Amino acid sequence: MRETAFSYLCAISKIMLDDMAEIIPTIVQASLYTINRDDIQHKTDKQRVQEFSRDSDSEQEEEVYGRVEAFDEKASAIHCLGYIFQFCPKLMIPYIEEISEVLMKMVQYVEDNVRFECITAINGMALGINKLECGENFEWTPGFENPTPIGEHTQQFLEKVYFPTLSIVFDTEDENDVIERMMQSLIDITDELGPAIYQNRLEQI
């Protein structure tokens, strides 16, 4: 039910926009609670001993697991924050540091769908911040020589959160779906913000 509730809140944020103001604090609180909730279960000593006894010639790696429903709720909560940030950036700006910190942590989470949604969320945040600074009708022109400027805070977010998060994925990710989502995120943000996002970053990317 929690997963569906987050999806519903995403849907209404796109039509309510600033009228979401009264419930935004509750949404953020519920989302962060779900994201930060400890849903990981470690194998007990008894389980590890039993596995080792069945295969005593090899060392058993410690595994973690949890309820699929709990992981889906986390992914939905992350998606909710990024989606609402994109369409209601004015209301979400006060939470930008807290949300950014959580996403940069969760992009290394044990469950791949959670990591996937972290990338989607930072993409939505970047677009929302630029919409707040440059307006909904922002357009860019091609060319690196004099790129159409994006917002100052958008550039700061790209520098401090967006590209560092992509770097984490490049360095640590081994699931193709997550890597592909990261590349699609880069395609999407290029389409929306233009060449200005590559200022002083092209060689690195």
Side-chain angles (χ1 to χ4, degrees), residues 59-70:
E59 228 178 275
Q60 296 291 324
E61 292 184 3
E62 182 177 10
E63 296 182 14
V64 293
Y65 59 98
R67 292 186 304 111
V68 172
E69 295 87 348

Side-chain angles (χ1 to χ4, degrees), residues 4 11 18 32 39 63 66 73 88 94 111 136 148 153-154 164 167 175 179 201:
T4 305
D18 288 349
L32 293 176
D39 292 313
E63 296 182 14
E73 288 172 2
C88 310
E111 210 277 327
E136 294 187 11
T148 306
H153 293 292
T154 307
S167 294
E175 290 288 340
I179 296 171
R201 301 188 186 100

Side-chain angles (χ1 to χ4, degrees), residues 155-178:
Q155 282 285 17
Q156 291 176 0
F157 181 81
L158 294 175
E159 183 70 27
K160 294 180 179 179
V161 179
Y162 184 85
F163 284 109
T165 302
L166 295 197
S167 294
I168 292 172
V169 176
F170 267 122
D171 292 340
T172 64
E173 188 56 63
D174 56 7
E175 290 288 340
N176 286 342
D177 287 349
V178 180

Side-chain angles (χ1 to χ4, degrees), residues 49 75 93 96 98 114 128 137 147 157 169 179 201-202:
V49 168
I93 280 291
I96 186 171
E98 187 174 9
V114 171
N137 298 320
F157 181 81
V169 176
I179 296 171
R201 301 188 186 100
L202 189 58

